[in-house]
Amino acid sequence: EGDRTRPHPAVFSRSEMPLAHAVPSGATSSYTWTGLERPFTKTVPSRPYRNAIPMEKIVSSSVRIGEPILRPDPACAWESGGLYKAWLLESDGVYYLFYNAKNRAEWPWIEQTGVALSRDLVHWERHAGNPVLPVGPRGSFDDRFASDPCVLRDGGSWVMFYFGNSTDHHARDGVAFSEDLLHWEKGGEVLIDVGPEGSIDSRYAHKPGVIGWGGRLFHFYCAVAPAPAPPQGEITHDEVRGIALAVSH
């Protein structure tokens, strides 16, 4: 598509992206997010997800303690349906375990993010103010899910990257800020929006995993698009998924 660009509502100016299955393997496209003081560029492979590198095995020397440290709490309506992704960090001798949970076992459900605290990694106490990151009002990008916390330190403050799932049937990555890890204020903007029709993240751009390296932020996320053809090898599915990357300047 050359250098032709078009604005994306409020958040991105981006290069046009061709259909993922209709470009040479290895081709890339770049998105630039200008919502912060520093532009935020997302570079993604424009190729079929079936060519993505698989993550086959993770080897760990950890020892299981035999019992879950947290279970869904039937007395807490917001998390009674099940617990999901955990994000663990330590600050001033206290361990913080962030997790998202759903309010019911059967779809449709609401997912929100809470936190539990511990000093020994074995005995945990849920924060009384859970969920610390609730869903937004109807019509917001996170009115159904506020999930998959990824919490990093920024000087003396904290930043939580998370994804919002909306009643518009799309998922996008957002951000929230805190001074004490317990009280969070949402940034109010979408960090990584879904791409245009035909791109590899036209359905979901979600589930952030962010690291800092070399003075830059590397924002990995799960990109999801409708499947061009539901039969995919030995399975039949209506979507394709892969890992995409956004990089700050």
Side-chain angles (χ1 to χ4, degrees):
E1 298 290 341
D3 295 327
R4 185 160 56 92
T5 61
R6 66 178 182 183
H8 197 70
V11 178
F12 285 101
S13 61
R14 64 177 69 193
S15 58
E16 296 281 352
M17 291 186 65
L19 287 172
H21 64 280
V23 299
S25 177
T28 61
S29 295
S30 293
Y31 298 359
T32 300
W33 178 56
T34 56
L36 291 179
E37 294 179 359
R38 294 181 300 176
F40 201 70
T41 299
K42 126 172 145 174
T43 302
V44 295
S46 299
R47 62 182 182 179
Y49 291 96
R50 59 179 176 272
N51 293 336
I53 299 173
M55 190 162 58
E56 297 177 349
K57 184 188 298 184
I58 298 176
V59 179
S60 173
S61 59
S62 300
V63 177
R64 295 183 180 181
I65 63 173
E67 292 292 332
I69 57 174
L70 287 180
R71 298 177 183 270
D73 184 353
C76 294
W78 79 275
E79 65 161 72
S80 60
L83 310 182
Y84 284 103
K85 177 194 170 183
W87 182 272
L88 176 66
L89 63 86
E90 181 273 336
S91 179
D92 296 328
V94 178
Y95 295 96
Y96 295 79
L97 184 65
F98 292 89
Y99 61 97
N100 55 292
K102 60 183 179 180
N103 64 335
R104 50 179 293 175
E106 301 297 328
W107 184 257
W109 61 74
I110 296 295
E111 285 187 27
Q112 302 177 99
T113 295
V115 64
L117 285 68
S118 175
R119 290 191 175 272
D120 61 6
L121 291 172
V122 176
H123 303 92
W124 293 88
E125 182 176 352
R126 288 170 166 88
H127 175 50
N130 281 342
V132 295
L133 193 75
V135 294
R138 185 167 180 83
S140 60
F141 83 96
D142 58 357
D143 65 358
R144 179 174 282 169
F145 288 13
S147 298
D148 279 37
C150 172
V151 183
L152 304 179
R153 186 190 293 273
D154 180 22
S157 302
W158 298 90
V159 181
M160 180 191 293
F161 299 91
Y162 73 100
F163 86 84
N165 194 342
S166 175
T167 46
D168 71 358
H169 308 296
H170 293 291
R172 307 164 173 90
D173 280 354
V175 66
F177 304 94
S178 177
E179 299 298 323
D180 62 4
L181 289 168
L182 298 178
H183 302 89
W184 292 88
E185 181 179 353
K186 294 180 182 179
E189 291 188 68
V190 172
L191 282 187
I192 309 295
D193 207 341
V194 293
E197 183 178 353
S199 63
I200 65 171
D201 53 5
S202 62
R203 180 172 290 175
Y204 305 145
H206 71 332
K207 301 187 176 181
V210 183
I211 60 173
W213 183 70
R216 306 171 77 184
L217 287 178
F218 291 77
H219 185 138
F220 297 89
Y221 66 98
C222 177
V224 183
Q232 302 177 56
E234 297 178 353
I235 67 170
T236 298
H237 204 280
D238 67 350
E239 65 183 27
V240 285
R241 294 183 172 229
I243 303 300
L245 172 63
V247 182
S248 69
H249 291 289

